Amino acid sequence: MEGQQQFQRKMQSRHLVMLSLGGVIGTGLFLSTGYTIQQAGPFGTILSYLVGALVVYLVMLCLGELSVHMPETGAFHSYAAKYIGPGTGYTVAWLYWLTWTVALGSEFTAAGLLMQRWFPSINVWIWSAVFALMIFLLNAVTVKFFAESEFWFASIKVVAIVIFILLGGAAIVGFIPLTDSSFAPFFTNLTSEGLFPNGAFAVIMTMLAVNFAYSGTELIGVAAGETEEPEKTIPIAIRTTLWRLILFFVGTIVVLSALLPASDSGVLKSPFVAVLERIGLPFAADIMNFVILTAILSAANSGLYAASRMLWSLSNKKTISPVFARVTKQGVPIYAVIFSMLGGTLALFSSIIAPDTVYIVLVSISGLAVVVVWMSISASQFFFRRQYIKEGHSVKDLVYRTPFYPLVPIASFVLCLASLVGIAFDPAQRIALYCGIPFILICYGSYYLTQYVKERGEGYAAENQSN
């Protein structure tokens, strides 16, 4: 086992696009959309997802310039350390690691619960353990094996969403009759209770949840160091990922909003199942159970990859133990994968043992963490471009350029910040601030404390040598 030089550039454009989609399209889309529709109303939800898509697009434009110019594994953590400050880079990496590690625990638990539908006599923890082992092996073999498995995992749910949008669209305009023999609803449900039934501010309050639903697009940057021809692959992946996300998320929300009354949405276990049953699709619940299971495993696969690469990057920068920088002959940071999986297992246990205390705190921090990471990407690009010009380089020399600089990084930073301000007014989401801000301060404090101890130790060693 050695270090960075053994990372292999095995990911192609199709792998990168599906890795990003795999990280994004998960239980947030399949299970949580009903609650968002109830909170912001159908029209308000569509608007919030469109604004969320704009935020993601602006952040990805910033990430594109950075990751094409400096393609490396761990990407935005390294950019934050270089262009904002080493303490910020360290904090961003741990926030992002925690985001995906917590997600692993919840995804393995959810996958086990879904299997209860078909195998009610087998304990949930057994299925959770089986899926955890499967995801670990997919990540531990080779990067190419991981990328190929993620491509097919993500493909299943992408196809399922396209079919759902086509069937729903046909039912909306009357091509497919509804099971209750009612007339084609068209888009009457979107405005039946007014544009903003709970007020326009409800849209801002749901923005953190919407941004969190879009989280995963930034995986393009994490994988930059293991991608073939990053100068060509990354811009293509950013463009195709974003328009697909907008199509899938907004298209899905339009179908759900048009076919389900807003008053019913929040109490439904899966709004997808309700829509398919209303259309009259046989075995709707079983089909969606399989698709959601695939979505969960895909997100877990992407999550373990992202978490392990963040640990590798921290170790490579010599801010944590060098053991996490060791890479196998197949190009896998195996100790980082093992430690991230252990973290996911702890999150899984906390979700079972203390679901109302420890786990809700971890989930709240991870929701906040994604938005903070996006803010760091925007700020890093702003400072990178300024330094690049100051050093005498021409912007024309950049292979991929963020357009409308400095407007794009400033706008993306401000919009992310606005979503954090919005949750301060929502009692249900406010815990993210109470837990997230102290966690960020602890990360900063631990970085500067370890650096101080390290410098004292080096100074002491140098003084002894001179004597």
Side-chain angles (χ1 to χ4, degrees), residues 110-191:
L113 288 168
L114 287 173
M115 293 302 290
Q116 289 280 288
R117 179 177 180 83
W118 299 310
F119 304 97
S121 59
I122 300 176
N123 286 333
V124 172
W125 73 265
I126 294 174
W127 286 116
S128 297
V130 168
F131 290 131
L133 179 62
M134 182 179 81
I135 295 300
F136 173 76
L137 292 174
L138 289 176
N139 274 265
V141 181
T142 65
V143 173
K144 190 172 184 179
F145 190 54
F146 155 77
E148 202 62 41
S149 64
E150 184 54 30
F151 175 82
W152 292 108
F153 266 144
S155 296
I156 292 171
K157 58 186 175 186
V158 166
V159 169
I161 290 172
V162 170
I163 293 171
F164 176 80
I165 291 172
L166 292 174
L167 287 174
I172 289 168
V173 297
F175 286 136
I176 296 177
L178 299 174
T179 52
D180 58 4
S181 302
S182 59
F183 294 107
F186 289 94
F187 299 103
T188 53
N189 274 346
L190 299 185
T191 53

Side-chain angles (χ1 to χ4, degrees), residues 132-423:
L133 179 62
M134 182 179 81
I135 295 300
F136 173 76
L137 292 174
L138 289 176
N139 274 265
V141 181
T142 65
V143 173
K144 190 172 184 179
F145 190 54
F146 155 77
E148 202 62 41
S149 64
E150 184 54 30
F151 175 82
W152 292 108
F153 266 144
S155 296
I156 292 171
K157 58 186 175 186
V158 166
V159 169
I161 290 172
V162 170
I163 293 171
F164 176 80
I165 291 172
L166 292 174
L167 287 174
I172 289 168
V173 297
F175 286 136
I176 296 177
L178 299 174
T179 52
D180 58 4
S181 302
S182 59
F183 294 107
F186 289 94
F187 299 103
T188 53
N189 274 346
L190 299 185
T191 53
S192 60
E193 296 181 17
L195 294 181
F196 305 106
N198 296 321
F201 194 70
V203 175
I204 298 172
M205 285 166 60
T206 58
M207 279 312 302
L208 183 69
V210 170
N211 286 342
F212 188 57
Y214 278 122
S215 67
T217 45
E218 70 288 330
L219 280 167
I220 290 170
V222 177
E226 295 169 88
T227 304
E228 292 178 357
E229 299 183 291
E231 69 283 353
K232 295 178 183 176
T233 307
I234 291 171
I236 293 170
I238 286 173
R239 284 196 300 271
T240 53
T241 299
L242 284 164
W243 72 256
R244 288 179 193 186
L245 277 180
I246 293 167
L247 173 68
F248 296 152
F249 275 85
V250 178
T252 298
I253 296 296
V254 169
V255 170
L256 291 174
S257 301
L259 292 175
L260 289 176
S263 56
D264 292 347
S265 300
V267 296
L268 296 166
K269 190 172 184 182
S270 173
F272 281 76
V273 173
V275 166
L276 292 175
E277 286 175 343
R278 200 166 179 218
I279 292 171
L281 189 71
F283 307 109
D286 285 312
I287 292 167
M288 281 315 301
N289 207 54
F290 173 74
V291 172
I292 294 168
L293 179 64
T294 308
I296 287 169
L297 295 177
S298 170
N301 205 26
S302 298
L304 183 55
Y305 173 86
S308 63
R309 268 47 179 189
M310 275 295 140
L311 277 186
W312 176 89
S313 187
L314 277 168
S315 181
N316 190 53
K317 301 292 181 189
K318 297 181 172 56
T319 50
I320 60 172
S321 171
V323 72
F324 297 114
R326 293 179 186 172
V327 177
T328 65
K329 291 177 181 177
Q330 289 73 37
V332 176
I334 191 67
Y335 294 116
V337 172
I338 292 169
F339 188 77
S340 298
M341 179 56 79
L342 288 174
T345 307
L346 286 173
L348 190 155
F349 282 130
S350 71
S351 70
I352 298 166
I353 298 164
D356 299 325
T357 53
V358 179
Y359 196 67
I360 191 67
V361 170
L362 292 173
V363 170
S364 299
I365 294 171
S366 69
L368 183 86
V370 172
V371 180
V372 173
V373 167
W374 288 0
M375 289 168 72
S376 79
I377 292 169
S378 305
S380 296
Q381 192 276 327
F382 178 84
F383 292 121
F384 159 72
R385 178 76 73 88
R386 200 167 66 170
Q387 185 174 318
Y388 188 76
I389 294 168
K390 194 182 289 185
E391 289 172 352
H393 301 292
S394 171
V395 176
K396 292 178 182 177
D397 295 334
L398 291 169
V399 178
Y400 183 94
R401 294 187 293 274
T402 302
F404 306 112
Y405 178 87
L407 186 62
V408 167
I410 291 171
S412 59
F413 187 92
V414 170
L415 286 169
C416 287
L417 185 62
S419 70
L420 297 184
V421 173
I423 64 167

